[in-house]
Amino acid sequence: MTHAHITAWVVALILFFVAVSLQRGNSPKARMMQMILRLFYLIIIGTGALLLYSIATIPPLYIVKALVGIWVIGAMEMILVRAAKGKSTNVFWIQFVIAFIIVLYLGFTLPLGFDLF
Ligand code: HEM
């Protein structure tokens, strides 16, 4: 499940940047990319939830990890939706970077799967 989770967010990250660049080029494909990206949001949340179910008693840090994961997804969604409306996205880019760093750190610190830090 760890691999499915990592694959899901790596693919989502790539799709996100593709969607951002399509949007900047005013391509009509940007919306389609955004819909596919939303499907991956669900896969990330689904695989993350299954990882949570795999442990009997969930330590608080796992809840923090899950919430920050949802924060990353929220920031990506806000960037794309606001950019489509021509609104400023700076605040959400900052949130995206901060939340992404926290979630990577927490993910790889927590004991399941790979233990990088
Ligand atoms: C874009 C969003 C997300 C990113 C970048 C992300 C990233 C990661 C990473 C790097 C790991 C560590 C994998 C490993 O140890 O090999 C991980 C594990 C995990 N993630 Fe996520 N995640 C995201 C969203 C979520 C969400 C939404 C949830 C919950 C619904 C979630 C729940 C978990 C759980 C429970 C683990 C296992 C922790 C452990 O290693 O012990 N993640 N995630």
Side-chain angles (χ1 to χ4, degrees), residues 4 11-12 26 31-32 41 48 50-51 57 61 67 97 101 103 116:
V11 172
N26 280 326
R31 274 209 66 77
M32 183 192 73
Y41 293 160
L50 286 174
L51 281 168
T57 40
L61 214 49
L67 290 177
V97 172
I101 292 169
V103 94
L116 288 189

Side-chain angles (χ1 to χ4, degrees), residues 2-3 5-6 9-10 12-13 41 44-55 62 65-73 76 96 100 103-116:
T2 314
H3 286 108
H5 188 62
I6 295 180
W9 66 253
V10 170
L13 197 67
Y41 293 160
I44 298 172
I45 295 171
T47 51
L50 286 174
L51 281 168
L52 281 179
Y53 277 125
S54 72
I55 35 184
Y62 277 80
K65 159 75 184 62
L67 290 177
V68 180
I70 291 169
W71 181 18
V72 175
I73 294 175
M76 294 197 282
F96 169 70
F100 193 73
V103 94
L104 280 191
Y105 178 75
L106 283 177
F108 287 128
T109 314
L110 289 171
L112 296 181
F114 303 100
D115 217 352
L116 288 189

